[in-house]
Amino acid sequence: MLARSALVVASVVTALSILSGCTADPEGSSPVTAVADPPEHHGQCGVTDPTLAQLAKPRGKTIGTAYRSTYAQNDPCYREVALAEFDSLTTEIGTMMNTVQPEPGVFDFREADAVADLAAQHHKDFQIHSLIWDPLDQLQWEIVPSAIRAMAPDRRHQLMIDSITTVMKRYAGRASTVTVVNEAFDQVGHLQPNAWWDTTHNDEYIFDAFRAARLADPTAELYYNDHSAETNSDKSNAIYDLVKRLRDTTVEVDVNGQTVARPLIDGMGFQGHMLGGADQQPNISDIESNVQRFAALGVDVRFTELDVRVPVLNGVATVADLDRQRLVYNMMTQVCLNQPRCTGLTLWGFTDKRSWITDYPDSFSGYGAATPLTDDYRRKPAWKGIADALR
Ligand code: 9MR
């Protein structure tokens, strides 16, 4: 028992010392003894050139992160590092219904505006996430506010259309990409019987949602988004069938005074919440072939919520697991680079200080440290995994 704890402590200490080596060596590899040319610094939070955004640009991909303005309030490095490392910001919660419409017909754009304004001020791409979502396994989050859930189905359906229309019109010309519907399927590919499904009892509500989004802003790229759909499976088969039918369905919209028929969907978002521990490495050829069949439908693809959780003890991962995590980030980036229709990656948080994996430890008991930066914003091996693929 003692020997085992000593081993664990030793690996934790080694992990910590490797991570603290990141200060001297921005890429988080071996400790650096002498530095000839000090790296170019961005601001006060230790970011050095090249950043992920700088590396992604010549590859024709955008690399972004989920962003919550409240995280930046007492933590200037959250904002500074996000703006330095990424060229795209996505509303982490700002456009979820409980944030943007906490009561029927009552809109609150403060959080979404904060992300949109920050993106605009810094010439970043701005993306909107998860307009229509009702996670039945996390009902306590009340993403669909209780007063909306309690509405009669036909009124709830109209509220869905009005909500999409209002948000799309507000950010028209500013949001490049919008996740219209999120997580409509269960693990075996059946439609989730959620509050939105309950308005049509089939997938017609999804078509209605996309139609409303397209009519409100004909220029934004419209995405369907889901988790655990990266590989070929019953779930990804069902999503493929949906995306194909959305792509085959058109709606007439007005673009610069011309009426044109546009398909309802432009892209498929694979969330990419991955595992990085021993024997948990993803099957990359399976992911590549699955992503390719979606691309062959003529839609763009994107990893929209990428993170890689690894086993942790008191929040600390072993050196071996951090290296396995590096490999997963590296391979996922490579999949995107190899796929011409992949627009890039969005990380679902970039610091272990501020990640939903860290925030909901009960959902991921024994796992954590899922992002490429430590909780004090130093680059982990995972950062190097992305950077190496982009170089
Ligand atoms: O990361 C988000 C977290 O901060 C929120 O508390 C949570 C509920 O609003 O939503 C998280 O983001 C989810 C994303 O929108 C959809 N896929 C699953 C993500 C984690 O639940």
Side-chain angles (χ1 to χ4, degrees):
M1 188 61 201
L2 188 67
R4 193 163 163 257
S5 339
L7 257 182
V8 171
V9 170
S11 59
V12 166
V13 169
T14 321
L16 283 171
S17 57
I18 287 229
L19 287 179
S20 60
C22 294
T23 311
D25 172 13
E27 296 186 357
S29 54
S30 57
V32 174
T33 46
V35 179
D37 291 315
E40 193 63 36
H41 273 266
H42 286 263
Q44 306 303 310
C45 302
V47 181
T48 52
D49 284 341
T51 65
L52 295 178
Q54 288 166 348
L55 293 169
K57 199 175 170 83
R59 307 302 306 270
K61 310 287 182 188
T62 57
I63 181 150
T65 181
Y67 193 88
R68 287 173 79 150
S69 74
T70 46
Y71 285 164
Q73 273 163 8
N74 297 308
D75 181 4
C77 285
Y78 178 81
R79 177 177 178 277
E80 184 178 308
V81 174
L83 291 172
E85 291 280 14
F86 302 100
D87 52 16
S88 169
L89 301 179
T90 299
T91 47
E92 180 162 3
I93 60 162
T95 43
M96 284 178 189
M97 193 164 286
N98 56 341
T99 305
V100 83
Q101 190 176 184
E103 299 285 338
V106 178
F107 286 87
D108 181 345
F109 293 109
R110 285 173 296 178
E111 172 62 17
D113 278 355
V115 184
D117 292 348
L118 185 68
Q121 281 156 19
H122 295 268
H123 310 290
K124 305 281 176 189
D125 173 55
F126 170 58
Q127 303 199 359
I128 284 180
H129 204 63
S130 292
L131 292 183
I132 296 304
W133 182 39
D134 180 21
L136 296 180
D137 54 346
Q138 305 285 3
L139 283 174
Q140 76 284 6
W141 287 349
E142 294 202 26
I143 302 296
V144 178
S146 49
I148 295 176
R149 190 180 296 281
M151 293 169 86
D154 56 339
R155 288 190 56 228
R156 205 183 316 129
H157 189 79
Q158 189 58 47
L159 178 138
M160 175 186 84
I161 303 293
D162 294 345
S163 183
I164 292 170
T165 305
T166 304
V167 178
M168 293 297 298
K169 281 190 183 298
R170 185 174 185 90
Y171 299 105
R174 293 194 275 167
S176 69
T177 303
V178 178
T179 297
V180 181
V181 177
N182 188 40
E183 299 177 11
F185 291 94
D186 68 14
Q187 286 311 103
V188 290
H190 296 143
L191 286 168
Q192 299 268 16
N194 63 37
W196 308 116
W197 170 89
D198 181 51
T199 67
T200 60
H201 286 204
N202 55 27
D203 62 15
E204 199 52 42
Y205 83 93
I206 302 177
F207 286 74
D208 294 343
F210 274 88
R211 201 176 289 110
R214 184 69 91 205
L215 286 167
D217 176 8
T219 60
E221 300 288 301
L222 306 183
Y223 274 59
Y224 175 79
N225 196 61
D226 218 321
H227 70 81
S228 315
E230 291 77 19
T231 53
N232 291 278
S233 64
D234 290 343
K235 181 171 186 173
S236 64
N237 289 344
I239 297 171
Y240 176 85
D241 175 65
L242 170 75
V243 171
K244 183 175 188 320
R245 287 181 295 116
L246 285 167
R247 187 70 184 170
D248 289 344
T249 307
T250 57
V251 59
E252 291 198 339
V253 291
D254 183 83
V255 181
N256 300 330
Q258 302 270 343
T259 302
V260 290
R262 295 275 328 267
L264 292 186
I265 193 167
D266 303 298
M268 171 63 202
F270 300 95
Q271 294 187 5
H273 295 296
M274 314 302 287
L275 286 153
D279 304 322
Q280 295 175 332
Q281 301 285 298
N283 182 336
I284 291 297
S285 59
D286 194 354
I287 295 177
E288 276 175 338
S289 72
N290 185 45
V291 167
Q292 170 54 33
R293 67 174 170 154
F294 280 84
L297 292 175
V299 297
D300 286 338
V301 295
R302 184 171 181 91
F303 293 117
T304 49
E305 302 184 19
L306 186 61
D307 54 24
V308 183
R309 59 188 183 272
V310 288
V312 291
L313 189 68
N314 299 325
V316 180
T318 64
V319 172
D321 281 331
L322 290 174
D323 196 53
R324 282 189 269 265
Q325 180 184 52
R326 175 189 62 77
L327 254 183
V328 178
Y329 271 107
N330 179 272
M331 292 187 295
M332 296 301 282
T333 309
Q334 204 63 60
V335 171
C336 184
L337 289 165
N338 291 344
Q339 170 52 254
R341 293 223 66 139
C342 182
T343 64
L345 319 167
T346 299
L347 307 189
W348 210 242
F350 57 95
T351 163
D352 289 339
K353 183 180 185 180
R354 297 298 196 182
S355 146
W356 72 296
I357 304 282
T358 315
D359 286 351
Y360 299 110
D362 293 348
S363 305
F364 302 105
S365 183
Y367 284 85
T371 79
L373 300 179
T374 63
D375 54 11
D376 55 356
Y377 298 100
R378 283 171 291 127
R379 291 168 174 173
K380 292 164 59 180
W383 183 95
K384 189 173 186 315
I386 303 172
D388 284 346
L390 292 172
R391 280 179 211 280

